[in-house]
Amino acid sequence: MRFQLLGPLALADGPDVVVLQPSKPVILLAALLLHANSTVSSDYLQRAVWGEDQPATARAALQTCVLRLRRLFTKHGVTGTSIEAVPGGYRITAGPPTLDLLGFRDQVRRATALVRDPEAELYTLKDALSLWQGSLLANVRSDVLHRDEVPRLSEERLRAVERVCDLLLGLGRCGEALVDLWTATRVYPGHERFHEQLIEALYRTGRQSQALAEYRRVKGFLLDELGVDPSPSLRQLELSILRGEDLGAGGAVRAAVEPAPAPASAPAPVPGPTSRVIQGAAVSLPAAAPGAGRVPAVPHFTGREVEAAAMAARLTAPPPPGADGQRPLTVLVSGAPGIGKSALAQHVAHLVRDSFPAGRLLVRMTRADGHPRTADEVAAEVGAALGPGRAGERALLVLDDVVDADQVRPLLTPPDLAVVVTSRMGLGGLIATHGGWVHRLTAFTEAESYALLLAALGTERVEAEPHEARQLAALCGHFPAALRILTARLLTRPGLRLGDAVDWLGDDPLARLTLTDSPDHSVSGLFDRALGRLDPRLSEAFLRIGAGPPELLGETDIADGPEGPDGTKDHPPVPEDVLEQLADAGLLEDGPPGPYRIHDLLRAHLRRTVRIRNRRTEKV
């Protein structure tokens, strides 16, 4: 049994969670858990439960609350944790496995010790932050605790979020940092450090005008709401952007990646984990230390249990005997853009970290502008990162967003290397020549979508409106990228009811599934970038298919379809090789012998694109 304090106060037994109903014993439990393993005075407990105006019978009533709390423990099978009466007050004992607050602090301490390995530190902090499950102590009705304790705990979380964003910026993963920073700056508008990080991330991803607009916005807020000027560091950042300076290797950002040099009198460092950046991609050597505990690859990772288990089993299985055993083990994760390929690959890489003592490398195979990196360029950098003399120890290489098989083949030479490839393409030629296993991802199931909403928005908010939560997931088409964008928007509006969000999203899902201050973080933008990678003729064919009738993807012989007024076919047949190329690019699902399918969100985007283009043509 585990106490959950970082959100609504709850009892958890594995996947089963019981959120406690508001009551005075629940206030008492919260006050004791907030100071677990320490004596909490009776006076403080009475103030927490009854406030400053306590009844004359408060001390006797406190003893009654303790008895009721002990009965609650018995009812829910709480063992190994008890409330002790000690001189001056009461004490409850707990540890990191039984209290999420202590688990969070323990993980933060672990992260602090990993300062020389920013990738491991980042994963450890994300693991710590994943323990936060919604509005803090939402079911604990105590003005004293919300006044004295909640701000202190919130500050602990904010420091961890700050450090995560510093690490992401230091590792060159500015786009990933933007997702967290958009939310943080809107929820905490007076927190200048978040704004500083957001402006830097925007600038380093090539959005100078947006970065300057964000500076002007926060400057106006500080002046209008607080009557103060931006901090010197914010003003200096604006000046650096106006001058066009390179911020990628500067100041505090470098400190997040490179440990400070040791003083001359310090002893030589003990060989240990190192970290490098390959074209903005984190490279972590070696794997996180054993015993680090559960470390998900991404915050709120949910679903894909079958795929994750199968991938982990294949990556950790001993190589088969014979010649094939001399080939690197390859696992391909393919599917549509935004389907969650990278998240699954990184999650699995972290699950199997102990099986790869030589390290785990994550390499982005495309640049920020979407253009692929050359195979020679990547091969040279991977070779330098792995280095010689691994003495037969296995390493894991994650090649993220591969464009074609030729990018990968030069890297599949060392027999003691396992490779996970993520790609929108099917890469059948690679599998034919080098073998391996393929996991083609599709949209989430209803249960997986609901689990993601629970993890991201918190149990209290989702289970208050479960039907509406499922409606939101359906409007997103159970598409992981759409669900992530939706939860980011809902987190910035904690007071918005899910039922109201259903009406709001249903009016225009494509327009609403975007982060308004970051148009690149949108479902439409994701699909546009995918179309931009296609050959122009293939892109035109796909637009025609998506905007046309369903028969274009059915089993009907389109050549026998109806004729238009001029005697020509309204919808000429789509060659099978075109459909196969689109399916291979992750834009169509299924195929022979059954019909092809387009995801509803993607079809809606294609039809909107065609309408916009037709209107522009009509104006010309």
Side-chain angles (χ1 to χ4, degrees):
M1 189 67 71
R2 179 181 179 87
F3 294 100
Q4 292 185 347
L5 194 62
L6 302 178
L9 183 54
L11 294 174
D13 185 7
D16 299 323
V17 179
V18 177
V19 178
L20 301 177
Q21 295 301 310
S23 66
K24 288 181 170 54
V26 168
I27 297 174
L28 173 63
L29 177 60
L32 289 170
L33 290 173
L34 286 165
H35 302 277
N37 305 314
S38 300
T39 298
V40 187
S41 71
S42 297
D43 289 341
Y44 178 80
L45 293 173
Q46 289 167 205
R47 288 200 309 275
V49 175
W50 287 280
E52 302 301 334
D53 297 326
Q54 302 170 27
T57 58
R59 187 167 295 273
L62 181 64
Q63 295 174 351
T64 301
C65 283
V66 172
L67 291 174
R68 290 175 60 189
L69 205 49
R70 287 170 175 160
R71 292 193 198 104
L72 181 70
F73 284 11
T74 302
K75 173 184 175 182
H76 291 288
V78 177
T79 59
T81 300
S82 60
I83 301 173
E84 305 173 77
V86 296
Y90 294 89
R91 179 177 60 207
I92 192 170
T93 55
T98 57
L99 177 59
D100 59 358
L101 174 59
L102 298 182
F104 169 75
R105 290 171 175 167
D106 184 61
Q107 287 293 80
V108 170
R109 282 192 296 270
R110 289 176 183 269
T112 302
L114 295 170
V115 66
R116 291 182 176 273
D117 187 350
E119 187 71 19
E121 182 185 0
L122 175 63
Y123 281 132
T124 305
L125 283 174
K126 284 187 173 183
D127 184 34
L129 288 168
S130 71
L131 296 173
W132 290 73
Q133 299 293 328
S135 182
L136 199 61
L137 300 184
N139 56 337
V140 178
R141 295 172 181 172
S142 168
D143 292 340
V144 171
L145 295 184
H146 282 275
R147 181 194 66 202
D148 298 341
E149 303 292 346
V150 168
R152 177 174 56 82
L153 291 181
S154 298
E155 187 60 31
E156 289 186 52
R157 178 180 177 275
L158 291 182
R159 286 201 300 269
V161 174
E162 272 187 29
R163 182 58 181 164
V164 163
C165 294
D166 274 337
L167 288 165
L168 289 172
L169 292 174
L171 291 166
R173 291 155 61 175
C174 300
E176 189 176 338
L178 281 172
V179 177
D180 292 330
L181 289 168
W182 284 119
T183 301
T185 52
R186 273 50 186 173
V187 176
Y188 304 99
H191 196 103
E192 288 189 65
R193 179 58 186 148
F194 285 146
H195 290 287
E196 188 176 338
Q197 292 170 319
L198 174 60
I199 293 167
E200 179 182 335
L202 287 169
Y203 177 64
R204 289 175 60 191
T205 51
R207 288 181 271 181
Q208 180 179 6
S209 60
Q210 278 187 272
L212 291 172
E214 181 65 18
Y215 174 82
R216 291 191 293 271
R217 196 189 70 80
V218 68
K219 179 180 180 180
F221 171 83
L222 293 171
L223 287 173
D224 296 342
E225 300 295 328
L226 305 177
V228 297
D229 289 318
S231 64
S233 57
L234 261 176
R235 296 198 299 270
Q236 179 59 46
L237 180 59
E238 182 206 25
L239 186 59
S240 297
I241 293 173
L242 291 171
R243 291 173 175 170
E245 296 175 2
D246 181 7
L247 301 180
V253 175
R254 185 187 299 130
V257 181
E258 302 172 3
S265 59
V270 177
T274 61
S275 292
R276 300 182 180 87
V277 174
I278 293 185
Q279 289 291 329
V283 179
S284 178
L285 296 170
R294 178 183 57 85
V295 185
V298 291
H300 311 308
F301 186 88
T302 56
R304 311 295 190 202
E305 288 88 355
V306 173
E307 294 90 344
M311 287 175 63
R314 285 165 177 161
L315 290 170
T316 56
D324 286 346
Q326 300 303 310
R327 291 182 176 180
L329 176 67
T330 305
V331 177
L332 169 64
V333 184
S334 64
I339 206 68
K341 303 179 293 293
S342 301
L344 175 61
Q346 293 179 52
H347 176 65
V348 171
H350 225 66
L351 289 178
V352 301
R353 59 193 180 279
D354 294 339
S355 297
F356 296 93
R360 294 164 294 119
L361 282 71
L362 172 65
V363 183
R364 313 286 183 188
M365 300 298 285
T366 53
R367 296 185 173 85
D369 60 5
H371 287 86
R373 302 176 61 209
T374 66
D376 291 342
E377 174 189 2
V378 174
E381 291 169 350
V382 168
L386 286 173
R390 282 183 283 142
E393 290 187 336
R394 299 182 74 205
L396 176 63
L397 184 63
V398 179
L399 303 178
D400 190 39
D401 199 14
V402 169
V403 175
D404 56 48
D406 289 338
Q407 273 190 307
V408 180
R409 288 193 178 99
L411 304 174
L412 302 182
T413 51
D416 54 356
L417 187 68
V419 182
V420 176
V421 174
T422 77
S423 179
R424 299 174 186 177
M425 308 301 295
L427 301 185
L430 179 70
I431 299 300
T433 58
H434 287 73
W437 290 270
V438 179
H439 295 273
R440 188 174 179 93
L441 303 185
T442 58
F444 275 162
T445 63
E446 291 184 16
E448 287 174 326
S449 297
Y450 191 78
L452 189 150
L453 294 177
L454 282 173
L457 300 177
T459 303
E460 180 187 25
R461 190 174 183 185
V462 173
E463 293 196 342
E465 300 177 84
H467 176 68
E468 289 76 8
R470 291 185 173 88
Q471 285 182 290
L472 287 172
L475 286 169
C476 290
H478 305 288
F479 200 70
L483 289 165
R484 291 285 182 187
I485 292 170
L486 172 68
T487 55
R489 295 206 66 172
L490 291 176
L491 284 169
T492 65
R493 294 167 173 80
L496 180 66
R497 293 178 61 254
L498 298 189
D500 295 332
V502 169
D503 297 333
W504 164 77
L505 180 61
D507 287 342
D508 192 347
L510 282 175
R512 302 286 161 75
L513 287 172
T514 181
L515 300 181
T516 53
D517 292 326
S518 180
D520 287 346
H521 289 85
S522 68
V523 169
S524 291
L526 180 71
F527 292 153
D528 277 335
R529 289 190 292 274
L531 292 174
R533 286 193 185 183
L534 294 176
D535 178 276
R537 289 172 295 181
L538 201 59
S539 178
E540 283 298 314
F542 190 47
L543 284 170
R544 181 165 63 87
I545 293 169
E551 289 79 9
L552 283 175
L553 294 177
E555 297 178 316
T556 304
D557 186 354
I558 301 173
D560 294 332
E563 294 185 349
D566 58 355
T568 62
K569 300 293 184 181
D570 281 346
H571 302 290
V574 179
E576 184 177 330
D577 68 310
V578 171
L579 297 176
E580 277 293 287
Q581 289 180 68
L582 291 170
D584 190 60
L587 299 173
L588 293 181
E589 291 295 335
D590 293 334
Y596 293 93
R597 293 182 296 106
I598 301 179
H599 190 278
D600 289 344
L601 282 178
L602 180 52
R603 183 183 288 278
H605 174 74
L606 294 173
R607 288 177 171 173
R608 172 174 288 189
T609 300
V610 170
R611 286 197 303 270
I612 292 173
R613 188 171 63 178
N614 289 344
R615 284 200 297 268
R616 289 173 178 168
T617 304
E618 289 169 3
K619 289 180 181 178
V620 174

